[in-house]
Amino acid sequence: MKELLLIIKEHLSHFGIIMRLARYEDKATNQGNYLGMAWQFLNPAFQVGTYYLVFGLGLRSQGNPEAHVPYIVWMLFGLSTWFFMNGTFMAGVSSITSKVAMVSKMKFPISILPTVRYVSDLTSFWAMLGISIVAMLVSGVPITLHILQFFYYFIAMTALMFSFGILNSTVNVLIPDYKMLMSSVMRLLFWTSGAIWNVDRLNGNHMQQVIAGIIKLNPFYYIVDGMRDSFLSQAWFWSSDRLQYTIMFWLFVMFIALLGSHLHMKFRARFIDLI
C-alpha cells in the first residue's frame, strides 16, 4: 500500500508536467497530418460507421428494446468508451519502452508516463462522447438524473486505466513479448466488452446465463455498461443487479494497482538497463 500511495503522490506533485507532456503528445502524434487533431475522432468515427453497417443494418441488432433506444445510439456510447480504453491500455503498455531517450534524461518519475497518454487520449474521448450525446438527443432519448453517475464511472475508468498503466508498462519492460500478448487479449476482450452486442440477450438456457455472468465480470464491460447506464437511464451502480459487480470491479482495480505499484517500485531503478 505504501508503494501505491507513493506513486499517487508522484502523480499529484507532478500534475503540471503530466498536462504539459500530454499536450506535447497530442501535437507530436498529429503534426505530420493535414487534418491534425481531427484524426483523433475521425478514425474511431469511421470504425463506428463500419460496425453500424455490419451489426446495426446488416444483422439488424437492437440496443435496448425495452427502453426503445436506437441501436446506433446504444452502440455509440459503447464504442466511444471502448475505443478510448483500448487505445489508452495499449499505449500504456509501451509508455516506458517507447520513451527510452526521455527515460534516460528525465527529471520526473517514470510512473507518470502511462498517465500522460491517458490524459492525451481524453481529447478524442470527449469528442466521441459529444457525438454520442448529440445522437441521443436527436433520437429523442431524454437526459435524466442517471447522468450524474457519469462522474462515478469516469472516476472508475480513470482508476482502471491508472492501475493497468502502472502494471502493463512495468511488465512490458521485463517481458518484451508482453505487448503482443496484450494486443491479442484486447481483441478478445472487445467481443466480451458489450460494446456492439447486448450481453443481456444471453438469457435463454442455463449455460447462456452462466456465460453472460462471466462476461459481466470483465472490468471493461463494467465501464462500457456503466456509461450506457448513465446516459440511457438504465440503472444506478448501487442497484441490486449492479452492486455485486461494482464490488468485484473495485476489488480487481485495487489488486491490479497494488501489484503494479509493487513491481514498478521494485524494478524502477533497473529500467534503463533492462530497456
Side-chain angles (χ1 to χ4, degrees):
M1 180 61 74
K2 290 182 179 179
E3 295 163 324
L4 176 58
L5 292 176
L6 176 59
I7 290 178
I8 293 175
K9 182 179 179 181
E10 289 178 346
H11 277 67
L12 294 176
S13 59
H14 293 83
F15 181 77
I17 294 178
I18 292 175
M19 299 304 294
R20 289 196 295 273
L21 287 176
R23 288 195 295 269
Y24 172 79
E25 190 80 18
D26 282 338
K27 295 178 181 178
T29 301
N30 299 285
Q31 65 179 355
N33 301 320
Y34 287 115
L35 296 180
M37 297 283 291
W39 283 110
Q40 288 196 320
F41 67 90
L42 283 177
N43 277 328
F46 286 133
Q47 294 182 62
V48 166
T50 301
Y51 286 121
Y52 178 66
L53 289 174
V54 175
F55 293 93
L57 299 179
L59 300 181
R60 298 190 180 278
S61 301
Q62 293 180 348
N64 187 347
E66 295 180 0
H68 305 290
V69 177
Y71 177 72
I72 182 62
V73 175
W74 185 89
M75 185 189 69
L76 273 171
F77 282 105
L79 284 180
S80 60
T81 304
W82 168 260
F83 285 149
F84 171 68
M85 290 193 294
N86 179 64
T88 302
F89 182 96
M90 292 308 302
V93 172
S94 58
S95 58
I96 294 178
T97 55
S98 63
K99 298 289 190 298
V100 178
M102 183 183 294
V103 169
S104 62
K105 301 176 182 178
M106 66 186 186
K107 298 180 181 179
F108 52 82
I110 302 175
S111 64
I112 71 172
L113 290 177
T115 306
V116 168
R117 188 52 189 262
Y118 173 85
V119 175
S120 174
D121 287 350
L122 279 175
T123 303
S124 59
F125 175 67
W126 296 131
M128 289 300 299
L129 186 63
I131 293 173
S132 303
I133 294 174
V134 170
M136 177 188 75
L137 296 176
V138 170
S139 300
V141 180
I143 295 178
T144 68
L145 284 176
H146 284 87
I147 198 173
L148 295 176
Q149 66 181 351
F150 164 76
F151 299 102
Y152 160 75
Y153 281 110
F154 182 77
I155 292 173
M157 180 173 66
T158 301
L160 180 65
M161 293 296 98
F162 167 81
S163 302
F164 269 132
I166 297 298
L167 176 63
N168 289 338
S169 60
T170 300
V171 175
N172 191 52
V173 173
L174 305 176
I175 307 175
D177 294 338
Y178 185 71
K179 184 177 180 179
M180 296 299 296
L181 173 63
M182 287 298 100
S183 180
S184 299
V185 169
M186 291 302 285
R187 282 195 292 269
L188 173 63
L189 289 180
F190 168 70
W191 299 104
T192 61
S193 68
I196 58 176
W197 66 283
N198 196 338
V199 176
D200 289 330
R201 284 185 158 190
L202 296 175
N203 58 1
N205 56 44
H206 176 69
M207 180 58 67
Q208 287 184 335
Q209 294 176 12
V210 170
I211 293 174
I214 294 175
I215 290 176
K216 290 181 179 181
L217 294 176
N218 178 356
F220 294 98
Y221 174 86
Y222 178 80
I223 300 298
V224 168
D225 196 51
M227 288 295 182
R228 290 198 181 107
D229 284 344
S230 302
F231 291 96
L232 304 180
S233 308
Q234 298 183 101
W236 295 102
F237 68 87
W238 61 78
S239 60
S240 58
D241 60 335
R242 299 287 197 276
L243 185 58
Q244 59 179 329
Y245 296 109
T246 297
I247 294 173
M248 297 183 72
F249 171 83
W250 285 108
L251 288 176
F252 177 80
V253 168
M254 182 57 67
F255 170 75
I256 294 297
L258 290 174
L259 177 61
S261 58
H262 173 70
L263 292 176
H264 182 87
M265 297 305 296
K266 180 177 181 180
F267 293 101
R268 181 156 72 176
R270 299 172 52 196
F271 278 171
I272 302 299
D273 296 331
L274 291 172
I275 294 175

